Amino acid sequence: MRRGTMSSGLNFKNPPNRALARHRVLNFATALQNEELRTIANSQVFWDVIESIRPLGQMEVFDLTIPEHHNFVANDFIAHNCMGKKKPEEMAKQRETFEGGALKRGVDGQLSSHVFDLMEYFSGYGFNKSHSAAYALVSYQTLWLKAHYPAAFMAAVLSADMDNTDKVVTLIDECRVMKLAVEPPTINRSDYHFTIADGKTVIYGMGAIKGVGESAIESMLAARREGGPFRDLWDFCCRIDLQKVNRRVLEALIRAGALDGLGPNRATLMAHLPLALKAAEQHRSTQATGQVDLFGALEPSAAPAPDPQLVSEIRADWDDEQRLQGEKETLGLYLTGHPIDRYEDELKAMGGPRIARLLEADREQGRRDRRDREKRTVNALVVSVRHGQTPRGRMGSVLLDDRTGRIEATVFSEVYDQVRNLLVPDQILSVTGSLNFDEFRDAWSLRVDSVRTFEQAREAAADHLALVLDLSDPQAY
């Protein structure tokens, strides 16, 4: 066969054990201009003839013998489509064919049915012993790294999945469970990937910030390596490549907190950004024409000093809600706080259990064999919502987070229709229900009886209103 042409991989003297998909055989037939292969590719798919079935040892493994001379096309073959893609109707047809063919050749019907059951079960997720041994070794090595180098391990895992915001959020939660500190991204310290400050601290990777591309990040890091840490917003804008780092990228960095070290607060940085960009463009234009400001520095390459009057204008910082919302939009999670923090005093006064303590108490009591009939009320933030359909009607499932822990709450049809409009992400709810242990998830969940907004729960729990007036400046009143 000439170099560069397709090779069929077929050995007609020693027929292969591997199956070939119909479309691949047709490709070979076209490349080799072989009518025999074309006939096979266009023929009806058929089963191999089962000559015998016999058990091997004590394991639930069977040896299925087929004629040595027989080749077959694997398109629509049971292991490729029916089992692999979990098609129940096709599986039923193939079972009938399998058991009927085995019975015609004298194989016991009960045995052939059992073998088909094993094949169907194995198709769910099965592999040979060598694969299992390799998995076990990799699992041991991974666990060892996680136990002895937790920060480095989590930084590596986060970097591997940094393009998937949902996974990053889950892994950041895992860092918190492991008692690892996660520092926000910062332009003078962060790299593209997640890194570590010490054995207990992970530094957020700038590559995980939404709306900031890799080329923009690499450009900023190159400027930092060349000229050292950035002094302020003006120095930063003058030294980076504004063709790669546009205003939208810079606004995302400010909302994520990556530029916190370059100004007094995020509100001021956002307000000064247009002026800093304009100054940077003028500086670049001056450099391009070779001009030197008569009243400025003698070195034309030096970044211009910001207007002292502008620098002195410090805006009031964003409130917690705006700051955290900016982090949620750019990072996918609340990193420097939690929306429920501002209600901390009220939560203590209302007396409801925190999620972490609630779950810990039930673990201590080991009540996994029954439903807890006692009603529990949880005040928490809705992290995510899923809506579904059951034979009894519509239902919803919400993940609740009160900063101490998370719990899944299930809202069935009898309650769902009344409260579905309240099941919205980023809303703080007061949820009452009974605890159930979910064996599948190996975790407690809450079967919901009622849902209220936090404002409704506060109103129901309050018995008086206390006003505190600051009269140190009577003229203000």
Side-chain angles (χ1 to χ4, degrees):
M1 183 172 291
R2 296 192 306 275
R3 182 186 178 98
T5 60
M6 295 180 63
S7 172
S8 68
L10 296 177
N11 185 335
F12 293 101
K13 292 182 180 180
N14 298 300
N17 292 325
R18 288 176 53 191
L20 294 174
R22 182 195 296 273
H23 71 277
R24 194 171 300 280
V25 176
L26 187 59
N27 289 340
F28 292 149
T30 302
L32 300 173
Q33 297 182 353
N34 189 305
E35 292 302 318
E36 183 180 358
L37 287 177
R38 192 183 305 278
T39 300
I40 293 175
N42 294 325
S43 65
Q44 294 293 322
V45 176
F46 47 86
W47 281 86
D48 291 288
V49 178
I50 299 176
E51 292 187 339
S52 65
I53 301 177
R54 63 186 180 86
L56 298 178
Q58 297 180 355
M59 301 290 292
E60 294 249 340
V61 178
F62 291 80
D63 182 18
L64 276 66
T65 304
I66 63 174
E68 293 182 359
H69 64 275
H70 194 61
N71 281 309
F72 63 90
V73 179
N75 220 35
D76 296 329
F77 185 61
I78 181 172
H80 287 248
N81 273 352
C82 306
M83 284 190 173
K85 295 184 179 180
K86 308 295 185 294
K87 297 180 178 179
E89 64 281 0
E90 291 297 327
M91 286 291 293
K93 294 178 183 177
Q94 300 293 355
R95 176 184 287 275
E96 183 179 350
T97 303
F98 182 89
E99 294 179 357
L103 188 61
K104 289 179 181 178
R105 290 163 179 80
V107 178
D108 180 68
Q110 186 175 0
L111 177 60
S112 63
S113 178
H114 179 55
V115 170
F116 195 93
D117 290 339
L118 292 175
M119 292 167 60
E120 184 177 9
Y121 177 75
F122 187 81
S123 71
Y125 193 73
F127 37 75
N128 56 33
K129 290 182 179 179
S130 62
H131 199 149
S132 301
Y135 266 18
L137 178 60
V138 171
S139 298
Y140 169 77
Q141 293 171 336
T142 303
L143 183 61
W144 187 90
L145 289 171
K146 187 176 182 180
H148 294 278
Y149 300 93
F153 176 83
M154 292 307 299
V157 175
L158 282 160
S159 297
D161 287 319
M162 63 193 309
D163 293 333
N164 188 326
T165 302
D166 291 339
K167 285 191 175 181
V168 169
V169 172
T170 302
L171 292 170
I172 292 294
D173 285 340
E174 177 68 11
C175 288
R176 290 167 175 165
V177 171
M178 295 169 63
K179 308 300 183 185
L180 296 176
V182 180
E183 291 190 356
T186 174
I187 189 63
N188 279 332
R189 196 175 188 188
S190 294
D191 289 330
Y192 180 79
H193 295 101
F194 286 78
T195 55
I196 63 171
D198 52 50
K200 287 292 184 179
T201 306
V202 175
I203 302 176
Y204 211 95
M206 293 179 63
I209 302 176
K210 295 180 181 179
V212 182
E214 183 174 359
S215 62
I217 295 172
E218 292 298 341
S219 173
M220 291 183 285
L221 295 179
R224 188 181 74 188
R225 288 192 294 268
E226 181 180 351
F230 301 105
R231 297 190 305 273
D232 50 39
L233 181 64
W234 311 85
D235 177 54
F236 174 68
C237 289
C238 285
R239 287 168 53 188
I240 62 176
D241 186 349
L242 295 178
Q243 292 184 341
K244 295 181 179 180
V245 186
N246 57 31
R247 179 170 175 170
R248 178 183 57 82
V249 170
L250 294 174
E251 289 176 347
L253 291 174
I254 291 174
R255 292 200 302 273
L259 303 187
D260 283 359
L262 305 185
N265 55 56
R266 297 179 193 180
T268 303
L269 286 169
M270 193 67 82
H272 287 176
L273 180 60
L275 300 174
L277 289 173
K278 185 176 180 179
E281 290 170 358
Q282 291 176 344
H283 176 62
R284 292 293 175 89
S285 177
T286 300
Q287 281 187 314
T289 58
Q291 298 176 1
V292 179
D293 185 355
L294 181 61
F295 301 101
L298 295 177
E299 297 182 6
S301 60
D307 187 334
Q309 184 176 355
L310 292 176
V311 174
S312 63
E313 294 179 0
I314 299 178
R315 302 289 184 92
D317 198 4
W318 294 335
D319 57 26
D320 289 345
E321 184 177 359
Q322 186 176 3
R323 174 175 56 84
L324 293 174
Q325 188 58 36
E327 293 179 6
K328 181 70 180 295
E329 292 172 356
T330 54
L331 303 178
L333 73 160
Y334 305 111
L335 192 60
T336 62
H338 196 284
I340 208 169
D341 288 345
R342 63 181 182 270
Y343 301 112
E344 188 69 30
D345 293 337
E346 291 182 83
L347 290 173
K348 291 179 180 178
M350 293 168 68
R354 304 306 291 268
I355 292 177
R357 182 55 194 153
L358 183 66
L359 298 179
E360 185 63 31
D362 282 283
R363 276 194 291 268
E364 291 171 357
Q365 296 174 27
R367 293 181 295 185
R368 295 191 172 197
D369 57 343
R370 66 179 180 87
R371 178 188 298 180
D372 184 358
R373 301 293 180 180
E374 183 180 351
K375 301 300 180 185
R376 310 296 182 94
T377 298
V378 173
N379 300 300
L381 179 79
V382 177
V383 176
S384 61
V385 181
R386 297 195 311 272
H387 301 275
Q389 181 73 39
T390 69
R392 299 178 58 185
R394 297 280 295 171
M395 58 86 68
S397 179
V398 297
L399 182 62
L400 300 174
D401 184 328
D402 71 349
R403 191 171 53 83
T404 70
R406 290 185 172 186
I407 190 171
E408 192 92 16
T410 306
V411 187
F412 289 103
S413 56
E414 56 270 19
V415 181
Y416 177 81
D417 293 334
Q418 304 171 23
V419 302
R420 61 179 301 177
N421 62 309
L422 300 179
L423 308 182
V424 180
D426 300 323
Q427 174 149 300
I428 298 178
L429 298 177
S430 179
V431 179
T432 300
S434 54
L435 285 173
N436 293 279
F437 189 80
D438 188 335
E439 295 289 349
F440 178 77
R441 294 175 52 249
D442 192 35
W444 286 96
S445 63
L446 197 66
R447 183 187 176 97
V448 178
D449 294 323
S450 66
V451 178
R452 295 180 295 180
T453 64
F454 184 76
E455 289 72 17
Q456 292 171 333
R458 172 202 286 153
E459 183 179 350
D463 57 5
H464 69 278
L465 178 65
L467 298 178
V468 179
L469 299 178
D470 182 4
L471 299 179
S472 58
D473 184 10
Q475 297 299 326
Y477 299 92

